[in-house]
Amino acid sequence: MNSKKISQFLRKLTAEVPSAVILGGDSSNGLAFVRSLGRKGVPVLFVGRDMHPAMRSRYGIACIQPVNGDAALLDLLLCAGQQLPVKGVIIPCADDYVGFLSRHRIALAPYYEFVLSGEALLGQLASKKSQYQLAQEAGIPIPKTFSVTDKLEGISSSIEYPCIVKPAYSHLWAEFQVRAQLKWSKLLVAHSPKQLMDYGSIISDSGLEWVVQELIEGTEDELYALYAYFDRSSKPLAVFVRRKLRQWPVDYGSGCYSI
């Protein structure tokens, strides 16, 4: 099936307009890229794990990601890349795809353009634990945070309630939720020491590293973020501030209405 999709994609290409490959097309982030580029006339191939509604966009050609790990996805991208009339652009839309692209940057570089930091820094940015350590080193104030690698004893008496319990690696938690057939949640909120300890069994079952963090009270419309894109010489090419107005799920979700 994917070979037919790639052939369909390649028939749309010319040497005048570079194409784009979106890794993570089964997400709101991926859909935003597909729509933005497709409306500009850029040929888009987008890859995702399942036929999420975002994978049905008319602005590109969708491919289901092979399930056999890195090798199969790499083969798919190399197969397409070797037939491109001009170098394409790869845009990863989730942490796991950033990691994939970083691991295979040498193999993909002859066929695609992409801008990535060094592998060590990307590894730090993918981990919430490392993010908070970097913030502290830079003098940036953060909520009170504890790292959890196994059990929660000791932390339960040192944190104020309610508190937030969240995975250090979000994409690994999402994969665990699918395997364990759990209701999707971005994080957990503990309102008492007992509830925090109850979450310990979930953490133990997942085998993942977590953080327990002070909850900063506030409404959804008090959430701000700075977004920036830097080129290879660290020159900012685009910078803007976003303020959330609504998010889903409510309180701890992705922005669905922002300014």
Side-chain angles (χ1 to χ4, degrees), residues 148 152 155-157 159-166 185 187-200 202-203 210-217 252:
V148 182
L152 292 169
I155 297 176
S156 62
S157 59
I159 192 80
E160 295 183 5
Y161 295 88
C163 64
I164 291 173
V165 185
K166 57 186 176 182
S185 64
L187 49 79
L188 304 169
V189 179
H191 294 271
S192 67
K194 181 183 184 304
Q195 190 171 28
L196 181 57
M197 296 307 300
D198 288 343
Y199 288 149
I202 299 176
I203 295 172
W210 288 64
V211 294
V212 176
Q213 191 171 67
E214 173 190 10
L215 190 155
I216 306 299
E217 298 286 355
Y252 306 104

Side-chain angles (χ1 to χ4, degrees), residues 2 23 47 49 64-77 96-97 99-101 103-104 175:
N2 279 343
L23 300 180
V47 180
R49 292 181 176 82
I64 297 296
Q65 178 179 331
V67 296
N68 299 326
D70 274 19
L73 178 56
L74 180 61
D75 285 346
L76 185 153
L77 295 175
D96 49 344
Y97 287 114
F100 167 85
L101 188 56
R103 289 190 296 275
H104 302 289
E175 293 171 6

Side-chain angles (χ1 to χ4, degrees), residues 36-59:
S36 297
L37 294 171
R39 287 168 177 164
K40 297 284 188 182
V42 176
V44 180
L45 179 72
F46 49 108
V47 180
R49 292 181 176 82
D50 56 50
M51 286 310 292
H52 184 280
M55 293 283 283
R56 302 182 186 276
S57 173
R58 66 181 181 274
Y59 290 108

Side-chain angles (χ1 to χ4, degrees), residues 10 12 15 43 51 60 69 71 86 98 115 119 135-136 140 144 167-168 187 199 205 207 215-216 236 251:
L10 292 171
K12 296 176 175 289
M51 286 310 292
V86 63
V98 172
V115 178
E119 191 164 353
Q136 286 180 313
I140 299 171
K144 190 175 184 179
L187 49 79
Y199 288 149
D205 289 345
L215 190 155
I216 306 299
D251 295 329

